[in-house]
Amino acid sequence: MSEVSVLIIEDNVQNMYLERYLVEHSGYKVIEARDGFDGIKKATKFLPDLILLDIQLPLMDGYEVARQLKENENTCNIPIVVVTSYAMPIDKKKVFSLGCNGYIEKPIDSKLFISQIQQFILKNNQDHD
Ligand code: MN
């Protein structure tokens, strides 16, 4: 079985650090991107198994990142999970209408976060069996 990889698109250093730690703790490989353009570039290059997507990003916001990834036939099947904060509520309708697969709320609850990303990865693998 090939290594499972997770692309984290997040500009906040502390959030990136925590998400990376939790994803690696779950046994998955991490690819980091700190802005929207870099996120799209790395998604296209590495075709990760899951994308964790912040909404407030420099250069291009997360909604635009999701729109472009879902429009591209090479990346449209990669599940996208939006990671969002209480302080800056997301438009959940918009998230799902763009084809995103779910969302996780900040502040991140470590145990819940791990179980959520595992579920998204398992579900995606089942869908492709
Ligand atoms: Mn951000």
Side-chain angles (χ1 to χ4, degrees):
M1 192 177 131
S2 63
E3 197 173 23
V4 172
S5 63
V6 177
L7 171 62
I8 305 173
I9 309 175
E10 168 68 66
D11 63 321
N12 179 281
V13 176
Q14 285 171 319
N15 288 334
M16 177 65 90
Y17 184 87
L18 177 59
E19 289 178 43
R20 169 185 269 282
Y21 175 81
L22 295 172
V23 170
E24 286 180 341
H25 183 79
S26 307
Y28 309 130
K29 185 186 168 201
V30 170
I31 303 157
E32 289 190 0
R34 297 200 182 266
D35 64 63
F37 282 115
D38 194 32
I40 288 174
K41 202 169 81 182
K42 285 181 174 156
T44 309
K45 183 176 177 186
F46 297 107
L47 300 176
D49 297 276
L50 178 70
I51 296 171
L52 298 177
L53 177 63
D54 183 26
I55 289 296
Q56 286 203 295
L57 289 166
L59 307 179
M60 183 194 295
D61 73 18
Y63 296 119
E64 180 59 19
V65 173
R67 196 184 64 73
Q68 292 195 23
L69 290 174
K70 291 299 180 184
E71 259 182 19
N72 181 329
E73 62 175 15
N74 296 315
T75 53
C76 64
N77 290 322
I78 304 171
I80 298 175
V81 175
V82 169
V83 182
T84 183
S85 69
Y86 291 126
M88 191 59 63
I90 50 160
D91 184 340
K92 285 167 191 155
K93 259 193 202 159
K94 194 171 175 182
V95 165
F96 288 111
S97 73
L98 285 168
C100 295
N101 304 69
Y103 60 89
I104 291 174
E105 287 180 327
K106 295 172 192 165
I108 290 168
D109 173 315
S110 299
K111 271 191 186 158
L112 184 61
F113 181 86
I114 288 172
S115 80
Q116 284 174 312
I117 60 168
Q118 284 172 342
Q119 279 168 28
F120 284 116
I121 286 169
L122 286 175
K123 182 174 185 309
N124 190 43
N125 288 342
Q126 283 163 5
D127 290 348
H128 290 268
D129 277 349

